[in-house]
Amino acid sequence: MEAEGMDSEGRGFRNVREMWREVIGCDGVEKEQKEGSSTVQNSNKRQEWYSKGIAYWQGVDASVDGVLGGYGNVNDADVKGSEAFLQPLLAVRFGGGNPHLVALDCGSGIGRITKNLLIRYFNEVDLVEPVSHFLDAARKNLAPENIVQGSHKAANFYGVPLQDFSPECERYDVIWVQWCIGQLPDDDFVAFFKKAKSGLKPNGFFVLKENIAKSGFVLDKEDQSITRSDGYFRQLFQRCGLQIYKTQDQKGFPRELFAVKMYALVPILTETTTRVQRKFQTWAPTIIKS
């Protein structure tokens, strides 16, 4: 990614590699494999990046307004936009009948997305969230007495950072990643999605919903995150072995906020995976144009 970028204090970077070398000690293309003092230093800088990010969120109130950065008023528009995106995907990817659907909510926070959306469409939802008081709030918000979705339930709560999480093989129909992937440097972004692909069922898919920079990238020095452009994301998807199945822009947010885009992503199929998937399908899904 050679486009220029900037940080939240207005400092410019010639390209993203320059930025990553400064904040995590390597260019973000792949983790340093060589032993030596430089490797230890790079590891320490990466850990500092993650520690500062967690520390920021530990100081945020476990409420809708807190996790949405003071913009709790966008919750309804966010859920409606996500539902309009998800519904046709489920119909096309899984067809009719009454399949037992399972989702993973990544960076789940207080369970806002699970409670307002995912638990209405999925029989089971697992949540992964590294901030302990957010996960405690999610357990409370998603307790059986606080949800009204019959047999649908929040099944598992994982207090693990996203970069360290390894999903159960072929458990999930949908892995939902929203407003959290900016915490991961590029190499950890790619490593996460490569691992997470093993957690998808044969016809499963990812939904990534994120802020979009107009060009290049914007580094937020307060919460230790990066907002990537659409072009930047597309380059990373290629490195992950993922292709875009559908995209859609979020509507109805205040103008002062970053634009938000939703991506449905599926693994790029090899001849072997295509044969495996055909065993599980009696119909041929088509690409939905954005």
Side-chain angles (χ1 to χ4, degrees):
M1 182 69 191
E2 297 304 322
E4 296 179 353
M6 62 184 297
D7 67 21
S8 52
E9 297 174 351
R11 177 189 171 187
F13 294 92
R14 290 173 297 176
N15 55 57
V16 73
R17 292 192 180 202
E18 178 184 68
M19 183 274 293
W20 285 129
R21 279 195 294 269
E22 178 170 315
V23 299
I24 64 168
C26 65
D27 63 15
V29 174
E30 57 182 339
K31 291 182 180 178
E32 191 70 45
Q33 298 296 318
K34 296 181 293 182
E35 295 183 3
S37 60
S38 63
T39 304
V40 173
Q41 182 180 4
N42 294 347
S43 176
N44 288 342
K45 292 192 76 171
R46 186 186 298 268
Q47 187 57 48
E48 183 181 3
W49 162 273
Y50 282 125
S51 296
K52 286 182 176 179
I54 292 293
Y56 171 85
W57 289 107
Q58 285 175 335
V60 171
D61 186 51
S63 64
V64 171
D65 201 51
V67 297
L68 291 179
Y71 284 88
N73 59 306
V74 308
N75 179 66
D76 288 346
D78 173 55
V79 172
K80 289 177 182 177
S82 296
E83 186 167 21
F85 186 67
L86 178 64
Q87 271 187 321
L89 288 167
L90 294 178
V92 172
R93 297 294 289 182
F94 304 118
N98 187 28
H100 184 94
L101 297 179
V102 182
L104 175 66
D105 185 356
C106 296
S108 61
I110 63 173
R112 180 186 67 88
I113 298 165
T114 293
K115 185 171 184 177
N116 292 308
L117 176 66
L118 299 180
I119 209 161
R120 294 194 282 115
Y121 288 91
F122 296 88
N123 301 83
E124 297 180 61
V125 183
D126 292 345
L127 295 85
V128 55
E129 169 57 52
V131 180
S132 59
H133 73 293
F134 286 175
L135 200 62
D136 289 342
R139 288 190 180 96
K140 181 177 179 180
N141 293 336
L142 295 164
E145 62 269 21
N146 292 328
I147 56 176
V148 289
Q149 298 302 323
S151 62
H152 292 207
K153 64 180 181 179
N156 297 295
F157 297 82
Y158 299 107
V160 182
L162 207 57
Q163 68 273 14
D164 296 332
F165 181 73
S166 296
E168 180 182 335
C169 185
E170 294 191 5
R171 171 165 169 77
Y172 301 109
D173 299 282
V174 171
I175 295 178
W176 191 279
V177 185
Q178 181 171 346
W179 288 333
C180 62
I181 205 67
Q183 310 294 146
L184 270 59
D186 292 356
D187 49 3
D188 284 340
F189 179 115
V190 173
F192 165 73
F193 277 104
K194 285 185 174 180
K195 281 193 302 182
K197 281 191 290 185
S198 69
L200 290 174
K201 293 179 185 177
N203 208 38
F205 60 93
F206 295 97
V207 172
L208 176 68
K209 185 170 184 177
E210 268 298 340
N211 295 343
I212 302 293
K214 290 182 179 179
S215 64
F217 59 93
V218 178
L219 170 68
D220 190 320
K221 298 192 72 174
E222 184 178 19
D223 69 2
Q224 304 296 292
S225 69
I226 180 173
T227 299
R228 300 171 168 99
S229 66
D230 176 64
Y232 192 162
F233 272 121
R234 289 172 185 263
Q235 289 188 22
L236 289 178
F237 297 156
Q238 290 257 339
R239 287 172 55 188
C240 295
L242 297 170
Q243 64 184 3
I244 295 173
Y245 186 82
K246 181 184 178 182
T247 66
Q248 188 169 301
D249 296 330
Q250 171 69 47
K251 304 295 184 183
F253 279 11
R255 289 187 177 183
E256 68 266 23
L257 299 180
F258 281 109
V260 173
K261 186 179 285 288
M262 293 170 277
Y263 301 91
L265 303 166
V266 296
I268 296 173
L269 298 182
T270 64
E271 184 178 348
T272 299
T273 56
T274 301
R275 287 199 302 268
V276 170
Q277 286 206 347
R278 282 174 182 161
K279 294 180 180 179
F280 291 85
Q281 297 176 190
T282 57
W283 46 270
T286 57
I287 297 296
I288 303 175
K289 295 181 180 179
S290 59

